[in-house]
Amino acid sequence: MFQRVWALTAALMLMLSLGATSSHAAQNPHERGPDPSNSYIEQARGSYSVSQRSISRLGSDGFRDGTMYYPTSTADGRFGVVAISPGYTASESTIAWLGPRLASFGFVVVTINTDSRYDQPRQRATQLHAALDHAIGDSVVGPRIDTSRQAVMGHSMGGGGALQAAEERDEIRAAVPLTPWNLKKGWSGVDAATLVIGAENDAIAPVRSHSIPFYESLTNAERRAYLELRREGHFAPNSSNTLIAKYSVSWLKRYVDNDLRYDQFIDPGPRTGITTGVSDYRLG
């Protein structure tokens, strides 16, 4: 009798476990990669091997040129796509480190050179749209992309352009402007989940007149957050930065892939204080 009861109990527990797994998968059909930990998302590469494909000046349409980074394997289905713009006077090389790093966590990533290094945020927004469209239409990369899951990033005026790009395109689910600059301060028209990353010692786009007002104005975004890098300046995003990568990956995984496993890194978010690399963190 005991053995029969034990067997029935074990069978019920297995059914409940399978049901929970099935329900979890149904809620998160775009989960990619292993269960995340701090050590996993802080490392320089995720679980995917990455390939890249150049975009020549003759082959581009709407921006100068660029590079597409994408998971080599197609076993996990389609991925979200992220376009990234450099800042004023800067080239693609200044944001290129983000390409393979983000792609290795399960995204198609396009980094670009803008038509002119002097392009303003609105022009950069248009070129971010063009970069997304180029990747989607590419014969090799396009079939790997879920066109309903788009995101934009950018540094400085590229960050300002990312805000404008998100405001203008419904398919953009997430935006991550990095030490952004824009004369426009109100972004209530953005509904994409937006993580603004500022720098405490930024003298070019001071956080009090750029990043913080941008964050505060994002009243209609699906989610908004502001992360401030302690003792860093305007050009912090121009070289490999663990904090920028960690929280960008977490934000994109959560709001492009709807991967609830990454909530743990967003809420409550990073600790702040003199012993950390974060001087301010706000979540709305």
Side-chain angles (χ1 to χ4, degrees), residues 22 64 67-68 107 162 167 181 201 230 233-234 236 248 265:
S22 175
R64 186 178 179 88
T67 310
M68 295 178 286
F107 298 99
E167 186 176 56
W181 187 101
N201 295 335
R230 177 174 294 281
H234 187 67
S248 295
F265 307 109

Side-chain angles (χ1 to χ4, degrees), residues 4 17 36-37 134 210 214 246 248 276:
R4 185 178 179 184
S17 174
S37 63
H134 182 98
H210 291 272
F214 297 164
K246 175 180 180 177
S248 295
T276 75

Side-chain angles (χ1 to χ4, degrees), residues 26-32 78-83 107 129 132 136 145-153 162-177 189-195 218 220-225 248 250-260 266:
Q27 291 175 3
N28 299 277
H30 306 302
E31 278 188 6
R32 302 288 185 269
R78 298 188 175 190
F79 301 92
V81 57
V82 187
F107 298 99
H129 290 160
L132 291 169
I136 290 167
I145 294 173
D146 178 347
T147 60
S148 69
R149 294 188 288 132
Q150 301 180 25
V152 286
M153 296 179 66
L163 287 165
Q164 293 195 232
E167 186 176 56
E168 296 166 0
R169 179 175 287 205
D170 291 339
E171 294 84 358
I172 292 175
R173 293 190 178 184
V176 185
V190 173
D191 58 12
T194 303
L195 167 64
L218 289 162
N220 291 311
E222 177 186 357
R223 198 76 190 267
R224 57 176 173 162
S248 295
S250 298
W251 197 261
L252 295 172
K253 296 294 277 187
R254 175 60 184 86
Y255 294 106
V256 175
D257 288 355
N258 193 34
D259 193 333
L260 304 180
I266 294 168

